């Protein structure tokens, strides 16, 4: 479905891929919040990894996966074997990014930033990996006309 949407939607809707990514992110936030509440999960990397793993089962990506959280450093990773989608006709790195926004939304619920650090389309091999790091606020600064700017 994602391949079909990225092929047809841009002709009809400006910034279609960005919109699809935002929808996936928002869906991940809802899913993460519900899972956190339903299972009474603490805000730890290990909890985020478990919810991310549930999402991987739902979407049938990375059939075998492993990960580890470090509560003290508030970091973690999740790595898995090749999902069946990456070899589908028309699939590319952009799709991993859009689809990964769902996982990014989940991670944000646990105060973590999601970083897709290894993908098969970009890096080759047989695994994909995400790294989790604490979300760090970006300080705002004022521009010359007084408008707020990030970084």
């Amino acid at each position: 479905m994602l391949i079909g949407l990225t092929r047809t939607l841009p002709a009809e809707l400006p910034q279609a891929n960005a919109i699809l990514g935002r929808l996936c992110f928002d869906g991940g936030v809802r899913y993460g919040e519900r899972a956190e509440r339903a299972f009474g999960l603490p805000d730890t990397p290990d909890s985020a990894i478990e919810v991310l793993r549930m999402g991987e089962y739902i979407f049938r990506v990375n059939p075998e996966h492993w990960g580890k959280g470090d509560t003290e450093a508030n970091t973690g990773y999740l790595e898995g074997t090749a999902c069946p989608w990456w070899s589908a006709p028309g699939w590319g790195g952009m799709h991993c990014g859009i689809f990964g926004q769902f996982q990014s939304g989940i991670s944000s619920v646990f105060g973590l930033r999601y970083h897709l650090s290894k993908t098969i389309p970009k890096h080759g091999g047989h695994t994909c990996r995400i790294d989790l790091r604490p979300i760090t606020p970006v300080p705002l600064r004022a521009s010359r006309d007084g408008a707020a700017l990030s970084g």
Side-chain angles (χ1 to χ4, degrees):
M1 184 170 85
L2 185 57
I3 293 171
L5 288 172
T6 57
R7 282 187 181 162
T8 59
L9 220 48
E12 305 295 325
L13 181 65
Q15 299 183 349
N17 294 340
I19 292 168
L20 288 171
R22 187 64 203 188
L23 289 170
C24 287
F25 181 90
D26 291 347
V29 168
R30 281 187 73 144
Y31 178 79
E33 288 172 343
R34 288 182 178 188
E36 181 182 42
R37 193 171 43 251
F39 297 110
L41 299 172
D43 280 344
T44 65
D46 285 325
S47 295
I49 289 167
E50 283 307 309
V51 178
L52 288 165
R53 288 169 54 110
M54 288 189 286
E56 293 205 344
Y57 284 123
I58 290 170
F59 290 108
R60 298 175 169 247
V61 297
N62 299 325
E64 296 177 33
H65 47 260
W66 52 94
K68 184 172 172 54
D70 181 341
T71 302
E72 193 171 309
N74 200 28
T75 61
Y77 74 91
L78 183 63
E79 190 166 357
T81 57
C83 74
W85 311 117
W86 80 270
S87 60
W91 188 268
M94 160 188 64
H95 297 97
C96 296
I98 293 170
F99 195 62
Q101 288 304 305
F102 181 81
Q103 291 178 311
S104 185
I106 291 170
S107 302
S108 73
V109 170
F110 295 91
L112 297 168
R113 185 174 82 69
Y114 164 97
H115 174 70
L116 185 57
S117 55
K118 180 181 178 186
T119 66
I120 294 164
K122 185 174 181 181
H123 302 98
H126 301 286
T127 61
C128 292
R129 178 183 170 116
I130 62 163
D131 291 305
L132 302 170
R133 297 182 187 110
I135 293 175
T136 54
V138 176
L140 296 178
R141 59 183 173 81
S143 66
R144 291 181 188 186
D145 66 359
L149 301 172
S150 63

